Amino acid sequence: MGTLHHLMGTFKTLGTFKFFKMHLRVPFLLLALMEFCICVAAVFVAVYVRFDGSQITEVSSIRSPFATSMLFGLVMPVTMMAMGLYQSRFRGGILGVFLRSVIGFACGAAILALLYYLIPHLYLGRGVFGLAILIAFFVVGTIRPMFFYYVDKDILKIRVLVLGAGEKAASISRRLRRRVDRRGFRVVGYVKLNTDAMVVVDSASVLDLEGSSLLDFAIANNVDEIVVAADERRSGLPLEELLECKLHGLDVIDLLSFFEREQGKLPLDILRPDWLIYSDGFQRGAVRDVSKRIFDFIASAFILAITWPFMLFAVIAIKIEDGMDAPVLYRQTRVGFLGEPFEVLKFRSMSVNAESGGVAQWATKNDSRVTRVGNFMRKTRIDELPQILNVLSGDMSFVGPRPERPHFVEQLSETIPYYRERHAVKPGITGWAQVCYPYGASMKDSVQKQEFDLYYIKNHTIFLDMLILCQTAEVVLFGKGAR
């Protein structure tokens, strides 16, 4: 039992770790690894069942069983990740998980069929292939409910002690209300500071240390992390006690870093300029710029090779609906890198004279200006595909904050803090805000999107770009935020 308790404690302290600036949750990485192993084993089990228990190398046409099964094991988790099935804050419920699992396995099967055809050395027979998919789907569908049952248990969560009981401390429960928002941590309680003007958190969760030191209380209550959420930081913080906790091995982080890790965004209402200046991130350099440009070119070429038939159909549909003389592309001035204007290209989804008055307008739900073909293109994001040309020309990146019109930039810069900082990177076709938040068509939506965009600007790496590009598939297939 002592060994088990030690292992669980080790597991909790590794609840998240940073990989290329991204906070990855260990339980979901373990789930991906487990499902990878299941998919690899499914190939061998399928051969065993298909050929009545005979040795795989004797009766199967598989030339490289290990490489074939490894490819099967790699592709399936990637397509499931593209469906959002490894997101810790997924809120789709049982039906949503099942639907995304079906689509993920179907997409994975299509990709594998193509790869097995293009690489004959890895060929997998149709009977074994189909059986392996069924076995993997059934086993994965069986373990996932058990995984989510245990991942929601407090025993697997980091135990957090919040230093402060005022307005900032109360923002934790306000921002992280749902169970899925708290999968990585459990708040042990709040410690009131002398500088707290008033107690805003639930009084029942305010702790009385009863004369013991912060470290003694943390040890006695198995605290793994202390979050500093003081309303007033200039005085009143028990710095010596916090240092003692730090030296003892407890993690001590501020509230902004806590939200950055748990939400994947930077809350504007408590964001401080000094935190942005001294925190790690916002890095640029020749290597980063070159690798980003290479990624943009490869991603654009890959997406163009896949989507050109849809683009052709879009051109034909626009011409059929609006006439042969109607323009197919729509050019609109947007604000790009370092605030420089450029013309973004889109398939025209609105009527020709949508803004005849010359005044820029927010798109609204069921907008009457949107054509029937345009409505379908917007829901499927086909109208955005011509922006691949903007990426190839260097005006945009494939991944980055969405570019806005100059009129809206002026409006939003006056009301949203740090809004112009979004122009520190090239705008993108898709971005972190697009995969994390629905379509933004109001001032409130723009504030939420800005919090995600600032996170991306601070932490952007090729790894994060690849993750966003992969998860964009879920946004397109399920029409998240389409308008």
Side-chain angles (χ1 to χ4, degrees):
M1 287 298 292
T3 303
L4 179 61
H5 180 76
H6 176 73
L7 288 173
M8 294 304 296
T10 303
F11 183 82
K12 285 199 301 179
T13 57
L14 293 175
T16 62
F17 74 96
K18 258 192 170 182
F19 183 74
F20 286 103
K21 300 184 182 181
M22 280 289 294
H23 290 281
L24 303 179
R25 296 200 182 281
V26 171
F28 286 86
L29 288 177
L30 292 177
L31 175 64
L33 178 61
M34 187 163 45
E35 293 181 345
F36 162 77
C37 294
I38 288 170
C39 291
V40 170
V43 175
F44 289 95
V45 173
V47 171
Y48 185 86
V49 173
R50 177 72 174 80
F51 297 104
D52 299 324
S54 300
Q55 292 293 321
I56 186 172
T57 54
E58 293 178 2
V59 299
S60 174
S61 60
I62 304 177
R63 300 177 186 175
S64 303
F66 180 76
T68 300
S69 59
M70 286 289 290
L71 181 62
F72 188 95
L74 287 170
V75 169
M76 287 303 183
V78 169
T79 54
M80 286 190 286
M81 180 179 70
M83 293 298 104
L85 290 173
Y86 296 117
Q87 295 178 10
S88 62
R89 294 185 295 274
F90 178 73
R91 300 172 183 173
I94 296 176
L95 182 60
V97 170
F98 176 77
L99 181 60
R100 283 166 172 78
S101 297
V102 170
I103 296 175
F105 268 84
C107 293
I111 294 171
L112 284 168
L114 178 62
L115 292 175
Y116 288 147
Y117 175 78
L118 294 175
I119 313 174
H121 189 70
L122 301 179
Y123 178 77
L124 188 64
R126 287 176 296 178
V128 175
F129 184 41
L131 191 57
I133 291 174
L134 288 176
I135 293 170
F137 182 80
F138 176 77
V139 178
V140 167
T142 302
I143 68 165
R144 271 189 167 267
M146 293 189 292
F147 168 80
F148 283 106
Y149 173 79
Y150 283 104
V151 84
D152 286 329
K153 294 290 184 182
D154 286 348
I155 192 172
L156 298 181
K157 298 179 181 179
I158 296 174
R159 291 174 61 84
V160 172
L161 179 65
V162 181
L163 199 60
E167 186 62 38
K168 288 186 177 179
S171 66
I172 294 177
S173 58
R174 204 166 48 238
R175 285 179 170 269
L176 303 169
R177 303 186 305 273
R178 300 175 177 87
R179 184 180 63 178
V180 294
D181 296 330
R182 294 176 171 241
R183 277 190 169 141
F185 70 97
R186 176 182 180 272
V187 175
V188 176
Y190 300 83
V191 177
K192 185 181 182 302
L193 297 172
N194 295 331
T195 54
D196 290 335
M198 59 183 298
V199 174
V200 182
V201 301
D202 183 7
S203 57
S205 59
V206 178
L207 302 171
D208 183 3
L209 301 188
E210 298 178 348
S212 61
S213 68
L214 201 59
L215 176 61
D216 290 339
F217 179 86
I219 294 174
N221 290 273
N222 298 317
V223 171
D224 303 302
E225 181 177 82
I226 297 175
V227 176
V228 180
D231 288 342
E232 177 57 64
R233 297 174 60 91
R234 287 175 294 183
S235 61
L237 282 180
L239 297 179
E240 291 186 4
E241 292 192 64
L242 287 173
L243 178 59
E244 188 181 19
C245 292
K246 184 78 172 180
L247 294 176
H248 191 77
L250 273 72
D251 289 330
V252 180
I253 64 173
D254 64 2
L255 186 60
L256 279 165
S257 299
F258 176 76
F259 281 131
E260 180 184 22
R261 183 189 72 199
E262 295 300 327
Q263 290 191 296
K265 63 181 183 178
L266 303 180
L268 294 176
D269 55 337
I270 60 173
L271 193 58
R272 308 186 313 274
D274 63 310
W275 187 88
L276 292 173
I277 293 169
Y278 294 118
S279 63
D280 63 327
F282 303 102
Q283 296 174 350
R284 290 193 60 199
V287 175
R288 164 64 185 167
D289 292 342
V290 171
S291 60
K292 176 77 165 174
R293 187 65 183 142
I294 293 173
F295 172 83
D296 287 340
F297 183 82
I298 294 174
S300 298
F302 176 73
I303 298 299
L304 188 61
I306 294 175
T307 60
W308 72 264
F310 301 101
M311 298 174 72
L312 179 61
F313 288 142
V315 171
I316 295 172
I318 292 171
K319 291 293 186 182
I320 291 175
E321 182 175 27
D322 294 335
M324 296 303 296
D325 295 332
V328 171
L329 294 178
Y330 178 62
R331 299 174 183 269
Q332 192 178 73
T333 302
R334 300 287 178 99
V335 179
F337 182 52
L338 300 180
E340 292 296 322
F342 72 101
E343 283 195 331
V344 70
L345 297 174
K346 299 177 71 173
F347 281 126
R348 185 175 54 79
S349 59
M350 290 187 175
S351 56
V352 177
N353 299 315
E355 291 183 349
S356 56
V359 180
Q361 302 176 41
W362 291 107
T364 60
K365 191 173 183 179
N366 300 320
D367 199 319
S368 60
R369 299 173 297 164
V370 179
T371 64
R372 287 176 297 176
V373 172
N375 184 54
F376 175 79
M377 289 194 300
R378 285 182 168 227
K379 288 184 180 299
T380 56
R381 298 301 202 281
I382 292 175
D383 64 318
E384 309 282 358
L385 290 177
Q387 291 170 42
I388 292 175
L389 300 177
N390 289 115
V391 176
L392 293 175
S393 68
D395 290 328
M396 294 177 64
S397 176
F398 207 94
V399 178
R402 289 293 296 152
E404 272 297 352
R405 302 170 68 174
H407 174 75
F408 292 140
V409 169
E410 292 298 325
Q411 281 187 343
L412 297 171
S413 298
E414 293 175 0
T415 56
I416 300 178
Y418 311 104
Y419 191 80
R420 293 190 183 275
E421 276 68 19
R422 66 192 286 108
H423 303 133
V425 297
K426 286 184 180 181
I429 298 177
T430 185
W432 186 238
Q434 279 63 51
V435 300
C436 294
Y437 192 79
Y439 187 94
S442 68
M443 192 65 70
K444 180 181 178 182
D445 290 334
S446 296
V447 170
Q448 294 293 325
K449 285 179 61 181
Q450 175 67 1
E451 294 183 344
F452 286 110
D453 283 334
L454 274 179
Y455 175 90
Y456 173 80
I457 295 166
K458 178 179 180 293
N459 298 294
H460 64 97
T461 60
I462 295 299
F463 175 74
L464 180 55
D465 285 354
M466 293 175 65
L467 184 65
I468 292 170
L469 185 61
C470 186
Q471 292 187 356
T472 300
E474 181 199 8
V475 175
V476 173
L477 285 174
F478 290 92
K480 291 172 63 176
R483 186 167 297 181

